[in-house]
Amino acid sequence: MKQKPDAYHLPATGKNILRFAFPTIVMTLFNTFYTMADGLFVSNLIGTEALSAINLTAPAIGLITAVSGMLATGGSAVVMKKTGEGRAQEACQDFTLLILTNAAVGAAMMLLGYASMDGLLGAVGLSPAVFSYCRAYLGSYLLFTIPLLLMYNFSLYLIAADKSALSLICTVAGGVSNIVLDYALIALLDLGIRGAAIASGLGYSITAAAGFLVFRRQDSLLHFRRPVFRASVLYRASSNGLSELATSLVSGITTLLFNLAMLRYVGEDGVAAITIIMYVLMFASALFTGYAYGVAPMISYCHGARDHERLKKLVGFSLRFTIGASVLCTAASILASAPLVGIFTGPDSPVYALAVEGNRLCSLALLFVGLNVFASGMFTALSNGAVSAVLAFSRSFLFTAGCILLLPVLLGGIRGVWLAAPAAELLGGIMAAAVLVRYQGRYGY
């Protein structure tokens, strides 16, 4: 059986590191792109009420993906650490246990979703039309809860098993299928908003099915074995992935705070403008998220193997790459603000000028996003979920919420809202840099 794939024992040069991380960067960018495409199909083929329904059900779907992200990233760190320590059989047992746990969690969340859906939606006070859209979309989406959870897990485990190219192919295939099925099910088969949910679910199922086929093979670095229940494995996977859980959970809260601030200072045009800007920032930030996911298994492996020399080179290159890419992304986003906003709205719209100005200021956040994302992901990979969670929670909630509430008051309105994201990321960057220095001796990077 193949114990050490080339990716884990090749020299830790920039070329080799980027070759390993490239598929996850493309995957994350592609996922972001077709998430944006979903909104365009629904709004153009069904209407804005249906688009509102997707946004209203996003917290429930975000909760599902938050739990999956926690178990996937935290579990990957646990499994690859044991692989690096030479405990391959135990790693495969833990891997199988974590996959079965994900499936069980998915089944429980699906049943809970159906049981509570009507009550939660009814409590919001929606119009009958939007309530109907919400119920139809969420009800169809919940059918694919288990494939959704397995998709997130298998995507990362394929990368960890040195099959990042296959993971990329599955992601692209799922994304293309989602886009094609969006049009076919909504426009041609007239399934309405249910078609959008089914299209997403079938797209996720491609990676879920591919993962089962790959990990059945005993010659894979990771493969299914009879699991052994170890409570400590589930605990470490959950605690290691706390940062991913925290990030997903608080993103909905911070989005709400941004929308309330824009409504207060500008009105509905401001909400439209901040939505466009967040799309731009989300797409640029996907580069750093993809890189962090890509190098995380290598960091875990080097940590488990106590290969401090390669770990030091890996972290050093990652910091240089992240800082350089951050500067380039910031400059590109600022200089291309007008054409980027123009993709979503024309110059004759009152939203256009507002969004262009806002994007130029909000893009300053990209100077620090890369460092923050990498630092949090690195400590997850080092099996230090507590530090990772503190970094992620402070940056994505405490600093962001504080800046949204304080800066508009201090700076006199809308300019304070635009600068809230850069200020929060700056504070997060200072904290991340301090923590990286603090733990350098402990982990030998």
Side-chain angles (χ1 to χ4, degrees):
M1 183 180 68
K2 187 180 180 183
Q3 296 293 332
K4 290 186 178 181
D6 288 344
Y8 292 107
H9 65 72
L10 286 175
T13 63
K15 181 180 179 180
N16 289 333
I17 295 170
L18 288 177
R19 182 185 301 166
F20 192 76
F22 179 75
T24 56
I25 294 174
V26 176
M27 284 164 51
T28 311
L29 289 171
F30 196 85
N31 276 332
T32 303
F33 170 73
Y34 83 74
T35 297
M36 296 163 61
D38 278 351
L40 290 173
F41 274 110
V42 169
S43 61
N44 285 288
L45 296 178
I46 304 176
T48 55
E49 286 184 329
L51 185 61
S52 298
I54 292 179
N55 288 331
L56 288 165
T57 57
I61 296 170
L63 176 61
I64 296 172
T65 57
V67 173
S68 176
M70 176 186 70
L71 292 173
T73 55
S76 175
V78 171
V79 169
M80 292 314 299
K81 182 175 183 290
K82 287 189 176 181
T83 304
E85 292 169 345
R87 300 153 66 187
Q89 179 174 330
E90 189 175 334
C92 289
Q93 292 170 344
D94 293 345
F95 160 69
T96 308
L97 174 66
L98 288 165
I99 293 299
L100 291 174
T101 301
N102 269 273
V105 169
M109 294 184 74
M110 179 176 64
L111 295 175
L112 179 62
Y114 281 121
S116 59
M117 180 170 57
D118 287 348
L120 292 175
L121 292 175
V124 180
L126 305 174
S127 68
V130 174
F131 178 88
S132 177
Y133 280 131
C134 286
R135 197 176 188 282
Y137 184 78
L138 188 56
S140 298
Y141 205 102
L142 286 173
L143 290 172
F144 296 92
T145 301
I146 294 177
L148 172 62
L149 286 168
L150 293 179
M151 182 275 292
Y152 274 92
N153 278 265
F154 284 153
S155 293
L156 289 184
Y157 282 117
L158 283 170
I159 296 165
D162 198 26
K163 299 182 185 297
S164 53
L166 177 59
S167 185
L168 172 60
I169 291 171
C170 290
T171 299
V172 173
V176 171
S177 298
N178 186 13
I179 293 171
V180 172
L181 288 171
D182 268 336
Y183 179 77
L185 297 178
I186 297 172
L188 301 182
L189 297 182
D190 198 26
L191 292 182
I193 198 168
R194 292 183 187 275
I198 294 171
S200 296
L202 291 175
Y204 297 143
S205 299
I206 291 177
T207 302
F212 269 114
L213 294 176
V214 169
F215 293 122
R216 287 179 58 191
R217 296 173 58 91
Q218 297 299 300
D219 60 348
S220 175
L221 176 68
L222 294 177
H223 54 269
F224 295 127
R225 295 183 67 94
R226 184 183 296 275
V228 175
F229 180 79
R230 300 181 181 92
S232 60
V233 171
L234 297 179
Y235 172 77
R236 289 199 300 272
S238 300
S239 59
N240 285 342
L242 278 177
S243 61
E244 283 69 24
L245 177 68
T247 299
S248 297
L249 290 180
V250 304
S251 63
I253 299 175
T254 54
T255 299
L256 175 62
L257 291 175
F258 268 116
N259 287 338
L260 291 175
M262 297 307 295
L263 285 171
R264 177 180 179 183
Y265 293 105
V266 183
E268 292 182 354
D269 288 343
V271 175
I274 197 67
T275 302
I276 294 172
I277 292 167
M278 288 306 168
Y279 272 134
V280 174
L281 295 184
M282 179 176 65
F283 190 77
S285 299
L287 166 67
F288 305 110
T289 303
Y291 181 84
Y293 280 155
V295 299
M298 297 179 70
I299 292 174
S300 298
Y301 188 90
C302 291
H303 176 53
R306 300 185 183 277
D307 190 345
H308 298 299
E309 186 62 29
R310 293 185 71 242
L311 181 61
K312 185 179 297 185
K313 292 180 180 179
L314 177 58
V315 173
F317 173 81
S318 295
L319 290 174
R320 293 192 298 274
F321 171 81
T322 298
I323 293 171
S326 297
V327 174
L328 292 176
C329 285
T330 303
S333 184
I334 292 174
L335 294 174
S337 288
L340 287 173
V341 172
I343 296 172
F344 298 93
T345 185
D348 56 336
S349 168
V351 174
Y352 180 83
L354 191 61
V356 170
E357 177 191 0
N359 191 73
R360 287 171 178 158
L361 292 175
C362 282
S363 292
L364 294 173
L366 294 174
L367 285 172
F368 315 104
V369 167
L371 176 62
N372 293 331
V373 169
F374 174 74
S376 178
M378 187 187 81
F379 282 103
T380 296
L382 292 172
S383 297
N384 194 332
V387 170
S388 179
V390 169
L391 288 175
F393 185 75
S394 298
R395 164 216 172 201
S396 59
F397 182 68
L398 292 181
F399 297 153
T400 301
C403 290
I404 294 173
L405 295 174
L406 293 176
L407 287 184
V409 177
L410 297 176
L411 300 179
I414 186 63
R415 184 172 292 270
V417 180
W418 295 139
L419 290 174
E425 295 293 346
L426 170 60
L427 293 173
I430 294 172
M431 185 176 185
V435 170
L436 285 170
V437 173
R438 167 69 176 79
Y439 284 91
Q440 186 175 13
R442 175 174 173 178
Y443 292 106
Y445 55 75

